[in-house]
Amino acid sequence: MIKAKKSLGQNFLIDKSILEKIVNTTDVSNKTILEIGPGTGNLTSCILKKKPKQIFVIEKDNELSINLKNKFNNQIKIINNDVLKIDETKLFNERVTVFGNLPYNISTEILSKWVINLKNNFWFECLVLMFQKEVADRIIAEFNTSNYGRLSIICNWKLKIKKICDIKPEAFFPRPKIESSLLYFYPKKNFTKIKDPKNLEKITRIFFNQRRKMLKKPFNQLFNGDKRVLDKLNIDLNLRPQNLTLDTYYKLTSEYENLIS
Ligand code: SAM
């Protein structure tokens, strides 16, 4: 009997209808699949039934990795490692479909790493990922709302995002205290050109550092009060960081890159 480790965010999905819903979010047959944190392999079994071309799984827990090897034998390729240490862009020579009931303590870190590291050639076709509901709400938040912030701006830069459903704690064992949400991400065809995505991280960090304050201070810190940028992007410095649209943040980053180049 496997004992769930809290430190690795182990809440195993046991509700069959939710497992089905996850694999039915996108087409799996004949695709190369990457699953993050397969745990006891409940989702892996459902994916296998849909006849993918191949499945890679990344699982940090040694005990669970051995268990998965015994359960699935050569049907899956197991990478017994920390997903944060893997460079997925080097693993595959075709676009993959990614599934993950992510460990909640590192879910935003994983997603930010993937978005920030995205080159012009996407290494994935789509991502089907589960988050703590409160985090999912921040990812999909619209501007002018209190959930809108750095995570929404960074995630929506190159990706389109759709919420599939919310999931109750009863769907897991052990039961988490919080609700979860399933999100579906796929590459945008067009997005604002940013030379170094680290600048998007920087701009959003400085603007949202004091999210209740007006835009004047962070703007002046970054742009030295450059009125030309304000006029071009139609920005009113009396507004607050959450009042600027996604597009304005991407364009601000691009203007910032022009300024420092
Ligand atoms: N997918 C399984 C399910 O739905 O039943 C398990 C999901 S559980 C929320 C998260 C899984 O991610 C666990 O199996 C845990 O061991 C694994 N994990 C935690 N941290 C990890 C990391 N840094 N890299 C890879 N796997 C990790």
Side-chain angles (χ1 to χ4, degrees), residues 23-24 26-33 46-48 50-53 97 99:
V23 284
N24 286 333
T26 185
D27 191 15
V28 169
S29 81
N30 215 21
K31 304 264 182 186
T32 294
I33 308 294
C46 291
I47 298 171
L48 271 171
K50 297 268 174 184
K51 304 213 178 318
K53 184 155 110 192
T97 295
F99 287 96

Side-chain angles (χ1 to χ4, degrees), residues 141-150 152-154 156 200 203-204 206-208 211 213-220 222-223 229-253:
E142 307 262 351
F143 80 111
N144 284 339
T145 66
S146 59
N147 277 329
Y148 182 71
R150 296 192 68 202
S152 348
I153 297 163
I154 290 172
N156 282 275
L200 181 60
I203 297 270
T204 53
I206 292 177
F207 271 88
F208 281 90
R211 59 180 297 141
K213 295 259 167 75
M214 286 188 286
L215 296 170
K216 203 172 193 164
K217 196 171 155 203
F219 181 81
N220 287 342
L222 289 157
F223 291 93
V229 175
L230 289 181
D231 291 344
K232 190 168 171 187
L233 302 185
N234 207 8
I235 295 173
D236 172 357
L237 287 184
N238 295 317
L239 296 175
R240 291 182 168 68
Q242 71 188 48
N243 304 125
L244 296 188
T245 63
L246 291 169
D247 212 34
T248 306
Y249 277 105
Y250 308 141
K251 288 185 175 146
L252 262 176
T253 308

Side-chain angles (χ1 to χ4, degrees), residues 2-219:
I2 300 277
K3 197 167 176 296
K5 299 183 183 79
K6 228 179 163 173
S7 62
L8 289 174
Q10 291 177 355
N11 298 95
F12 304 115
L13 200 46
I14 49 169
D15 183 320
K16 284 209 171 77
S17 64
I18 301 290
L19 287 161
E20 290 292 328
K21 193 160 196 163
I22 296 175
V23 284
N24 286 333
T25 301
T26 185
D27 191 15
V28 169
S29 81
N30 215 21
K31 304 264 182 186
T32 294
I33 308 294
L34 171 65
E35 190 190 348
I36 311 296
T40 48
N42 292 348
L43 184 61
T44 323
S45 297
C46 291
I47 298 171
L48 271 171
K49 281 193 200 133
K50 297 268 174 184
K51 304 213 178 318
K53 184 155 110 192
Q54 51 184 346
I55 309 186
F56 292 77
V57 302
I58 304 177
E59 174 55 65
K60 185 173 178 184
D61 188 317
N62 300 340
E63 197 187 347
L64 286 180
S65 297
I66 295 168
N67 199 48
L68 289 164
K69 176 87 193 137
N70 294 335
K71 185 167 177 180
F72 295 108
N73 225 321
N74 294 331
Q75 289 178 285
I76 64 174
K77 300 190 175 66
I78 302 165
I79 302 166
N80 180 197
N81 206 333
D82 183 339
V83 62
L84 292 170
K85 295 195 178 135
I86 303 269
D87 182 356
E88 294 85 0
T89 56
K90 299 210 170 101
L91 271 185
F92 310 103
N93 46 20
E94 63 183 320
R95 282 190 182 193
V96 301
T97 295
V98 182
F99 287 96
N101 170 7
L102 301 179
Y104 292 144
N105 50 344
I106 55 165
S107 62
T108 53
E109 216 177 324
I110 298 173
L111 190 59
S112 300
K113 176 190 104 156
W114 285 347
V115 175
I116 294 300
N117 287 348
L118 272 183
K119 304 280 177 307
N120 283 336
N121 290 329
F122 288 89
W123 60 272
F124 55 81
E125 219 167 80
C126 64
L127 311 170
V128 183
L129 303 176
M130 179 119 64
F131 296 88
Q132 188 174 333
K133 180 174 182 302
E134 177 247 320
V135 171
D137 288 345
R138 280 166 43 215
I139 292 173
I140 57 174
E142 307 262 351
F143 80 111
N144 284 339
T145 66
S146 59
N147 277 329
Y148 182 71
R150 296 192 68 202
L151 199 56
S152 348
I153 297 163
I154 290 172
C155 294
N156 282 275
W157 171 41
K158 284 190 169 183
L159 301 174
K160 279 205 177 286
I161 310 173
K162 277 207 278 194
K163 179 165 168 173
I164 305 297
C165 60
D166 292 327
I167 300 162
K168 298 265 177 237
E170 295 76 53
F172 301 88
F173 184 82
R175 270 187 204 188
K177 291 197 178 73
I178 38 150
E179 263 193 71
S180 306
S181 302
L182 185 67
L183 299 183
Y184 175 67
F185 304 72
Y186 57 100
K188 279 185 183 167
K189 285 204 177 84
N190 297 308
F191 41 83
T192 309
K193 238 186 152 40
I194 290 173
K195 286 186 208 124
D196 183 355
K198 295 235 158 47
N199 288 324
L200 181 60
E201 279 188 312
K202 180 175 174 181
I203 297 270
T204 53
R205 188 179 59 249
I206 292 177
F207 271 88
F208 281 90
N209 204 7
Q210 293 185 299
R211 59 180 297 141
R212 276 174 237 288
K213 295 259 167 75
M214 286 188 286
L215 296 170
K216 203 172 193 164
K217 196 171 155 203
F219 181 81

